[in-house]
Amino acid sequence: MSKLVELTFISLLSVNSSVMVTTIANAQQPLYLAYPPKNHRTTAEQIFLIGSASAAGDVTVNGQKIQRSSQGHFAPSFPLKLGVNRFVLRHNNQTINLTVTRNSTTPKIPQGGGFADNSLYPNQSISVLPNTPICFSAIASPNAQVSVNIANQIIPLLSQNKSIELPANSAILTDSNQPIINSVTHYEGCAKFNQIGNLGNPSFQFKLNNQTMAQRGRGNVSILNPNQLKIVEIIADAGVARTGPSTNYSRLTPLPQGTVVSVIGREGEWLHLDYGAWIKESETRGLPNLSSAKAIIKSAKFSKNTEETKVTFPLTLPAPASINQMGNKITLTLYNTTAQTDTIRLEYEPLIKSFSWQQVSPDKIEYYFELNSEQQWGYDLNYEGTNLVFTLRHPPKINSQNNQPLKNVRILIDPGHGGNEWGAKGPNGYPEKSVNLIVSKLLKQELLKRGATVYMTRENDKNVSLQDRVKMINELKPTIALSVHYNALPDNGDAVNTAGIGMFWYHPQAEDLSKFLHDYLVEKGQRPSYGVFWNNLALTRPHTAPSVLLELGFMINPTEFEWITDAQQQENLAVILANGITEWFEQK
């Protein structure tokens, strides 16, 4: 154990409140449990116990001897029954008592019959256009008659053959993302309404044998007047547009500040925008005096400097836009926009190979850019007044014959977590934030030797918000951005048998870098592969530069943790990673 690890461990032990230690002997390394915390609750079918003790002697869990690493670390998994599960860990004369409660994910039906708690849908106020289907649903006792009464209509809700639930997105990290067939009975029925105004609260009716009951739904159902739609302006720097009305839904291209768009529906705090996306109302403000959110475009203009090419689209109104990247092609789509275009001034070199556009529907235009390079280097999309400015960044100039091949490359390194954000904890309590910083600093020095300009989001142990990290990327506009992390798993993971290098990307411009670094570290560093993932993360979402989040190993794997905290291995890793970054640039 390094001195830093030892000191951190002792400090953590003195303040740890996650377990109850009944006896502590004067051992070199007392019995310690890093995870799970005290009175942990989970819905997982199993749990791993991450901890450490002196290598001398055995550690038992409920009387069963467990496997440990050479330094005494352990991470066994145990099945959980529903309800309270008790574990007793022992090492020599030390004992830790732990309680883990497994909660059921199955909705609970009242004894005697009725609706499951919080199962009625809609569960908040909603608004839609006339003749838009509204689907009502509930979970209730099987073989019941269920209906909804609203606006003088009775809508039968029919029992569905199967109730399919998808696990959380994190399930893919443990290869357990298969659909789940629930045993509950799901009832659903849909209807259309053309009566404009507030239809009131739906009343859900339940009938089974001789039992009848009614329950009011939450919120009102309203039908909007299509001739008096609300028009809003995006006030956030980048409005978070989604595919549906909650944060469970996928993100779309962020809407630039100033975008103007009509609202065709609402669900709770979420607004349904006329081009299809949803956004939180708090990211908008109403424009009551504006009668239309339709735009006209005529000409467009290309311009360039040494670092980027800009395309300016003058519009009569800031319309919604989206971006789609694929290989050396990028498509800009304008919604609610009609073209009156005859002339566009073009600038090709050094970035653009070809350009075209078409009005694909009466209110949607697509602009197609084919680039000279397969690798894209970042873009910006923003409004200056009613001018949409689309900026494409030029590739860096690499001289592989120079002893400083990265001389024209700017790299931002983000050591994950910091300050109060510890990240994952190793078996002895050593925090991820510390090793992130150590390896990031070593990597910085190696990149400087190769001529790169290097920025760091933090140089010491301090709090840096995700927003501030992203802001640094957007303002500094590095050539690439790398967020350095070490990994953990959800509760149902296998901490002993999961290890290796993982790479995470979001925008296609970062995919090749992710694959290359993953393969390079696995081959040159002789590390196991955890895999390459497309992932919606705060530090993979910046689009001003190819942005990759690196997971360089698993803090919770007892054996890999020893490699992670080995000072010589950290130096080796930094050299290999810097070599890999250099080789990737030289190939571009």
Side-chain angles (χ1 to χ4, degrees):
M1 184 186 301
S2 70
K3 191 66 177 176
L4 176 58
V5 174
E6 184 177 355
L7 291 173
T8 304
F9 165 71
I10 294 171
S11 173
L12 289 169
L13 181 64
S14 66
V15 299
N16 177 53
S17 60
S18 65
V19 295
M20 179 175 69
V21 181
T22 57
T23 306
I24 299 181
N26 293 322
Q28 180 183 357
Q29 184 173 330
L31 178 63
Y32 176 83
L33 188 64
Y35 188 88
K38 181 180 179 182
N39 298 324
H40 183 57
R41 292 179 176 271
T42 182
T43 59
E45 297 179 354
Q46 66 180 36
I47 191 74
F48 40 60
L49 308 184
I50 311 296
S52 188
S54 170
D58 295 332
V59 173
T60 64
V61 177
N62 293 347
Q64 174 185 345
K65 180 182 174 181
I66 61 172
Q67 175 186 345
R68 296 201 288 154
S69 71
S70 61
Q71 293 181 10
H73 309 314
F74 56 83
S77 291
F78 294 92
L80 295 175
K81 68 178 190 299
L82 288 172
V84 174
N85 299 260
R86 301 185 190 282
F87 299 93
V88 179
L89 291 78
R90 288 195 171 91
H91 176 252
N92 297 333
N93 62 341
Q94 303 166 62
T95 301
I96 293 176
N97 294 300
L98 176 71
T99 298
V100 177
T101 302
R102 178 185 166 193
N103 296 326
S104 173
T105 58
T106 303
K108 188 176 181 180
I109 305 294
Q111 191 172 4
F115 296 112
D117 289 344
N118 302 314
S119 73
L120 304 184
Y121 181 84
N123 55 11
Q124 52 192 339
S125 293
I126 66 170
S127 302
V128 299
L129 291 173
N131 295 313
T132 300
I134 300 176
C135 293
F136 302 87
S137 63
I139 295 172
S141 308
N143 304 315
Q145 290 181 311
V146 179
S147 61
V148 163
N149 190 340
I150 186 171
N152 299 319
Q153 290 190 45
I154 297 178
I155 304 159
L157 306 190
L158 304 180
S159 174
Q160 306 301 296
N161 290 333
K162 291 181 180 179
S163 178
I164 305 294
E165 180 183 350
L166 296 178
N169 274 293
S170 59
I172 191 64
L173 302 177
T174 56
D175 198 23
S176 56
N177 65 323
Q178 293 302 306
I180 302 166
I181 301 177
N182 281 332
S183 58
V184 298
T185 305
H186 187 87
Y187 296 84
E188 184 173 285
C190 303
K192 298 178 181 179
F193 303 89
N194 56 22
Q195 174 186 344
I196 293 172
N198 187 353
L199 305 185
N201 293 82
S203 176
F204 288 77
Q205 311 291 319
F206 173 91
K207 186 181 294 185
L208 179 63
N209 301 326
N210 296 323
Q211 180 187 6
T212 301
M213 64 173 292
Q215 186 173 329
R216 283 281 177 189
R218 297 179 181 175
N220 297 321
V221 175
S222 299
I223 306 302
L224 301 174
N225 185 339
N227 298 317
Q228 298 177 4
L229 294 179
K230 181 178 182 178
I231 296 176
V232 298
E233 178 186 19
I234 305 303
I235 58 174
D237 288 339
V240 181
R242 293 186 179 271
T243 57
S246 83
T247 55
N248 291 329
Y249 287 91
S250 298
R251 289 175 178 246
L252 299 168
T253 300
L255 292 174
Q257 187 177 57
T259 300
V260 173
V261 62
S262 295
V263 177
I264 60 170
R266 170 194 287 271
E267 187 163 329
E269 64 178 344
W270 292 85
L271 304 180
H272 193 190
L273 307 180
D274 60 3
Y275 78 105
W278 293 77
I279 194 169
K280 278 188 176 181
E281 185 177 25
S282 60
E283 297 190 49
T284 71
R285 70 179 182 97
L287 300 175
N289 296 326
L290 198 62
S291 59
S292 172
K294 303 296 183 182
I296 298 291
I297 185 169
K298 291 187 177 180
S299 62
K301 178 184 177 182
F302 286 56
S303 61
K304 66 181 180 182
N305 58 33
T306 57
E307 294 195 348
E308 57 194 22
T309 293
K310 287 188 177 182
V311 188
T312 303
F313 300 90
L315 296 155
T316 56
L317 179 143
S322 68
I323 296 293
N324 181 48
Q325 292 180 315
M326 183 174 293
N328 70 331
K329 296 179 175 64
I330 187 165
T331 301
L332 166 66
T333 302
L334 281 176
Y335 302 92
N336 303 336
T337 304
T338 302
Q340 296 179 0
T341 303
D342 285 331
T343 306
I344 295 176
R345 178 178 176 175
L346 301 171
E347 290 278 0
Y348 291 99
E349 293 297 332
L351 190 67
I352 309 296
K353 181 177 181 180
S354 67
F355 166 81
S356 63
W357 71 277
Q358 64 173 329
Q359 183 95 41
V360 294
S361 67
D363 62 353
K364 186 169 79 170
I365 307 173
E366 291 183 348
Y367 297 92
Y368 310 106
F369 301 82
E370 184 179 7
L371 308 183
N372 287 314
S373 169
E374 284 291 324
Q375 176 62 45
Q376 298 190 36
W377 296 97
Y379 70 87
D380 284 314
L381 189 67
N382 63 282
Y383 274 106
E384 296 177 359
T386 63
N387 289 334
L388 180 64
V389 181
F390 180 41
T391 305
L392 291 163
R393 300 186 60 205
H394 295 172
K397 296 177 181 178
I398 304 298
N399 183 359
S400 58
Q401 305 304 317
N402 193 307
N403 60 2
Q404 290 195 322
L406 301 182
K407 184 177 181 180
N408 297 312
V409 172
R410 302 190 304 275
I411 298 175
L412 182 139
I413 302 175
D414 169 49
H417 307 290
N420 296 330
E421 289 287 335
W422 284 26
K425 287 198 295 185
N428 62 6
Y430 184 58
E432 178 199 345
K433 65 173 184 175
S434 296
V435 69
N436 290 345
L437 185 58
I438 291 170
V439 171
S440 294
K441 285 184 172 181
L442 291 170
L443 176 59
K444 174 183 177 180
Q445 294 306 313
E446 292 299 325
L447 293 172
L448 289 173
K449 292 177 186 177
R450 293 157 177 79
T453 299
V454 181
Y455 310 104
M456 299 270 286
T457 58
R458 65 182 181 98
E459 298 270 8
N460 50 43
D461 184 20
K462 66 176 183 179
N463 291 311
V464 183
S465 70
L466 292 176
Q467 293 83 357
D468 286 343
R469 296 169 197 256
V470 171
K471 184 179 179 182
M472 284 188 68
I473 296 174
N474 290 334
E475 291 181 350
L476 292 171
K477 293 181 171 52
T479 315
I480 60 171
L482 304 174
S483 187
V484 175
H485 287 256
Y486 285 82
N487 222 336
L489 288 170
D491 284 350
N492 63 338
D494 182 352
V496 170
N497 295 307
T498 305
I501 302 296
M503 293 288 163
F504 296 78
W505 61 274
Y506 182 76
H507 294 288
Q509 63 190 14
E511 181 179 13
D512 187 74
L513 176 59
S514 296
K515 291 191 298 182
F516 185 91
L517 291 182
H518 168 270
D519 294 348
Y520 196 91
L521 289 174
V522 168
E523 178 185 353
K524 303 294 185 181
Q526 299 182 338
R527 301 305 304 160
S529 166
Y530 180 57
V532 179
F533 297 79
W534 179 93
N535 207 339
N536 170 25
L537 300 168
L539 271 302
T540 60
R541 286 196 298 267
H543 51 72
T544 53
S547 301
V548 175
L549 187 141
L550 299 78
E551 295 280 7
L552 298 173
F554 279 80
M555 296 288 289
I556 60 175
N557 180 295
T559 302
E560 189 161 55
F561 176 72
E562 295 178 8
W563 172 82
I564 289 170
T565 53
D566 184 286
Q568 184 59 56
Q569 295 297 339
Q570 291 168 349
E571 293 178 9
N572 294 343
L573 176 62
V575 171
I576 294 170
L577 185 52
N579 287 341
I581 293 167
T582 303
E583 286 194 27
W584 182 78
F585 273 107
E586 289 176 337
Q587 292 180 10
K588 298 303 169 187

